[in-house]
Amino acid sequence: MKKYTIGIDFGTLSARAVLLDLQNGNEVSVSEYKYPHGVITGKLNGVILDDNAAFQYPQDYIEALSYTVKEVVVKADVKAEQVVGIGIDFTGCTMLPVDADFKPLCMQDKFKNNPMAYVKLWKHHSAQPQADYITAMAEKYNENWLSTYGGKVSSEWLFPKILETVENAPEIYESAEYFVEAGDWMVWILTGNTVRNCCMAGFKGSWTQKDGYPSNDFLKNLNPKLDNILETKLRGEVKAVGAVAGTVTEYGAELTGLSKGTIVAVPCLDAHAGLPAGGIAEAGQMMLIIGTSGCHIMLDKNEVDVPGTCGKVEDGLFPGYSVYESGQCCVGDMFEWFVKNCVPYSYKEKADELGIGVFDYLEQLAEKIPAGENKILALDWWNGNRTPYVDNHLTGAIFGFTLSTKPEEMYRALIESAAFGTKVIFDLYDKYGVEVKEVYASGGISLKNKLLMQIYSDVTGKEIKITDCNQGGAVGSAMFAAYASREFATVEEAVKALSKECKVVYKPNLENTEKYKKLYDKYVKLSEMFAKDKF
């Protein structure tokens, strides 16, 4: 009997499931489900939201789970018992408060109009004041864990979001039996088990393998209501990615069509799941996940604190390796904003005439501008800065406008700014002795935008391999499910057996690399100036 696993990648706007053939690593079938409520901003049931708020409705995740799992099995015409395991990856910190039965508070009538009862999406940045406060308190009390996470707490993380709830909606905090990552909540939906994964706990919850979460004394000093939160609202065993979280219950089987007793793997962050899918399982290998935002994740044997990064987690993905994460808050979102707001209708008309999209038309025009000779320069902080400044108050900017500036020059400047931001990250790791030896890329933009990938290669001076995997997150999660199901003895063995060789490789044009150095130096100087003196 042929065996399969299913991986589900819960992204910002949709969930995608893949049925993976364990004989050859082929993606047998794929299904996507777009969340009906999408990202909730601006207003929620008549309540005006903070400009930095981003919520979601958790029922969308359940519907996505049910729809995609059933569809990939039906499409492939396989039997449920042939699916030996299921794995999940999710955005993070994407957090929700639930009651004792794990029912989200927002699904209770009395809380349906309270935004704090909903899922706080990863890019919910309204907790920046709480993040700043936690950073200051951690510095005051010399908390050891702070240096592990780059010396600064992000508004995207678990404790700032919880503290925001404590301060702004105490009734929600008191009513919550648990605060859980959405990825861990989906595991509960399938298994009924309260499990927390070390990847999300580590990178988003200030948890370390050695010391666990920040101490109760520290949390109580932040706010007396946080006293004993670790034993109450954050209880649950922290387990390694790819370990067995449990098995599918009768309810889970009814929801998904899978057999009761099917193995469910401990989940991980969505970006991290792309590493095994891309064939990464060795020290010095970095994966660029380029989508709405950008994540830079790498493996290393070293234990080094790198200031300004999102931190490192020991055994956070593979046993025996530290996983380092850094990133850019805005990549694809920046390009989307530009096309929606700054491109004249005449460009759309011309693109329609050529039978291509506006992005493709802009790419054709921008490609004609010689490397290093663009007349304008941009900062890629349109949604704040994640690395190296960890500050969501920072804003994007474009310099050098004249009355003759064209949209394609602006577009190329934005692409170059994203590449410069990535080089800053490479240089930061190099400064602290974490060598980036090999670079891989995944995500929709890496597959579609050839100009962007060539500029990334030219600016960084690195060869970039594009992973031959359309659904990296889902495939990586399916690999972890294969390991959890003990179809492979180690995660590395699963990666080697199931990942595909990269067929597309971008090699740096060293002449262009040299040309970009002057622009990059200006980018760094502007960054340093505006990071200190915000608009």
Side-chain angles (χ1 to χ4, degrees):
M1 180 179 74
K2 290 190 71 174
K3 294 180 180 180
Y4 306 87
T5 55
I6 292 175
I8 311 174
D9 172 33
F10 285 89
T12 301
L13 298 174
S14 66
R16 295 158 294 279
V18 163
L19 184 72
L20 193 70
D21 188 329
L22 298 187
Q23 285 187 330
N24 50 31
N26 287 342
E27 300 174 31
V28 181
S29 57
V30 179
S31 175
E32 181 175 11
Y33 182 88
K34 294 183 178 179
Y35 307 141
H37 296 86
V39 178
I40 302 170
T41 58
K43 187 182 291 186
L44 193 160
N45 290 345
V47 178
I48 303 299
L49 301 176
D50 179 273
D51 288 343
N52 295 310
F55 298 98
Q56 289 197 311
Y57 189 56
Q59 182 64 30
D60 290 354
Y61 307 149
I62 295 178
E63 292 174 5
L65 174 71
S66 180
Y67 178 88
T68 58
V69 172
K70 287 178 179 177
E71 186 171 61
V72 291
V73 173
V74 169
K75 274 184 176 181
D77 193 25
V78 303
K79 296 178 181 179
E81 55 265 30
Q82 290 179 267
V83 180
V84 297
I86 181 170
I88 290 169
D89 67 81
F90 220 107
T91 60
C93 170
T94 293
M95 180 205 79
L96 67 156
V98 299
D99 64 17
D101 296 321
F102 264 68
K103 182 178 181 179
L105 296 191
C106 64
M107 296 171 72
Q108 298 181 13
D109 286 342
K110 63 180 177 179
F111 293 133
K112 66 181 181 182
N113 294 325
N114 191 324
M116 293 289 145
Y118 285 73
V119 175
K120 289 183 181 179
L121 188 59
W122 67 269
K123 64 177 182 176
H124 175 88
H125 291 151
S126 296
Q128 186 64 49
Q130 288 78 15
D132 294 340
Y133 171 65
I134 295 173
T135 298
M137 290 290 281
E139 290 174 344
K140 177 181 178 180
Y141 290 104
N142 295 315
E143 290 291 303
N144 291 330
W145 55 266
L146 187 62
S147 62
T148 301
Y149 297 98
K152 214 167 186 182
V153 174
S154 168
S155 65
E156 296 179 1
W157 294 357
L158 178 69
F159 285 108
K161 288 175 176 174
I162 291 178
L163 188 57
E164 179 191 27
T165 302
V166 171
E167 294 176 352
N168 298 334
E171 68 280 13
I172 296 299
Y173 182 78
E174 296 299 333
S175 298
E177 184 74 14
Y178 300 90
F179 285 94
V180 293
E181 287 275 4
D184 294 330
W185 185 62
M186 296 313 298
V187 165
W188 184 90
I189 292 293
L190 287 168
T191 68
N193 292 340
T194 307
V195 174
R196 297 181 186 272
N197 72 85
C198 73
C199 186
M200 295 178 190
F203 281 106
K204 310 301 177 181
S206 306
W207 176 92
T208 64
Q209 190 176 77
K210 180 182 177 182
D211 299 318
Y213 291 106
S215 70
N216 187 67
D217 286 344
F218 174 74
L219 295 173
K220 186 170 60 173
N221 283 331
L222 292 179
N223 190 297
K225 290 186 178 181
L226 297 180
D227 188 19
N228 293 321
I229 189 175
L230 303 179
E231 288 72 39
T232 56
K233 301 177 192 296
L234 291 179
R235 66 188 186 275
E237 182 183 2
V238 179
K239 300 187 73 171
V241 174
V244 178
T247 59
V248 172
T249 60
E250 187 172 334
Y251 170 70
E254 181 182 338
L255 188 68
T256 62
L258 297 177
S259 299
K260 182 180 177 181
T262 302
I263 294 292
V264 180
V266 172
C268 68
L269 288 163
D270 56 340
H272 292 241
L275 271 70
I280 289 180
E282 295 180 10
Q285 295 178 319
M286 173 178 277
M287 174 67 79
L288 309 179
I289 300 95
I290 308 174
T292 55
S293 62
C295 283
H296 308 65
I297 305 168
M298 69 175 297
L299 304 178
D300 206 272
K301 292 285 188 178
N302 290 331
E303 283 289 323
V304 181
D305 292 337
V306 183
T309 64
C310 304
K312 69 176 185 299
V313 176
E314 186 180 352
D315 297 338
L317 201 61
F318 300 118
Y321 293 93
S322 289
V323 183
Y324 290 81
E325 180 185 336
S326 50
Q328 294 163 275
C329 291
C330 190
V331 182
D333 274 352
M334 176 172 61
F335 305 144
E336 185 76 18
W337 168 86
F338 174 72
V339 168
K340 283 184 177 180
N341 295 281
C342 303
V343 178
Y345 188 72
S346 60
Y347 275 57
K348 183 183 183 305
E349 289 181 317
K350 185 62 177 178
D352 290 342
E353 182 183 318
L354 295 172
I356 58 176
V358 175
F359 277 109
D360 294 325
Y361 182 55
L362 281 170
E363 186 177 348
Q364 287 182 5
L365 297 175
E367 195 172 17
K368 297 175 182 178
I369 301 172
E373 296 183 24
N374 201 6
K375 299 174 183 177
I376 55 179
L377 179 65
L379 291 179
D380 54 312
W381 300 346
W382 303 86
N383 196 27
N385 177 275
R386 186 177 296 155
T387 302
Y389 299 111
V390 197
D391 190 343
N392 289 304
H393 292 310
L394 294 175
T395 56
I398 303 180
F399 303 89
F401 280 137
T402 70
L403 292 176
S404 62
T405 297
K406 297 178 181 178
E408 55 267 31
E409 293 171 330
M410 297 166 63
Y411 181 59
R412 183 170 181 120
L414 293 178
I415 291 177
E416 289 170 343
S417 75
F420 293 150
T422 291
K423 180 168 170 54
V424 165
I425 292 169
F426 285 13
D427 290 351
L428 185 63
Y429 279 122
D430 183 63
K431 179 180 178 181
Y432 286 89
V434 181
E435 185 182 357
V436 180
K437 298 176 182 176
E438 289 184 76
V439 182
Y440 295 73
S442 67
I445 292 179
S446 70
L447 295 169
K448 298 174 186 175
N449 197 319
K450 295 180 180 178
L451 175 62
L452 179 139
M453 294 315 305
Q454 187 59 55
I455 289 176
Y456 266 54
S457 180
D458 289 347
V459 166
T460 63
K462 299 281 189 182
E463 182 176 282
I464 302 177
K465 302 174 183 178
I466 308 301
T467 60
D468 189 21
C469 182
N470 294 324
Q471 302 294 341
V475 169
S477 293
M479 289 181 180
F480 282 122
Y483 167 63
S485 305
R486 295 301 176 259
E487 295 298 320
F488 297 92
T490 65
V491 178
E492 290 92 337
E493 185 181 311
V495 171
K496 289 177 182 178
L498 301 174
S499 61
K500 303 293 185 182
E501 184 180 353
C502 298
K503 296 178 182 177
V504 178
V505 179
Y506 288 89
K507 296 184 178 182
N509 180 319
L510 297 182
E511 185 178 334
N512 290 346
T513 301
E514 193 63 31
K515 289 179 179 178
Y516 272 124
K517 284 183 178 179
K518 185 181 293 185
L519 265 181
Y520 176 66
D521 288 343
K522 290 181 179 179
Y523 171 91
V524 171
K525 289 176 182 176
L526 283 170
S527 298
E528 291 172 346
M529 179 173 64
F530 284 102
K532 294 176 183 177
D533 186 17
K534 305 178 182 113
F535 288 118

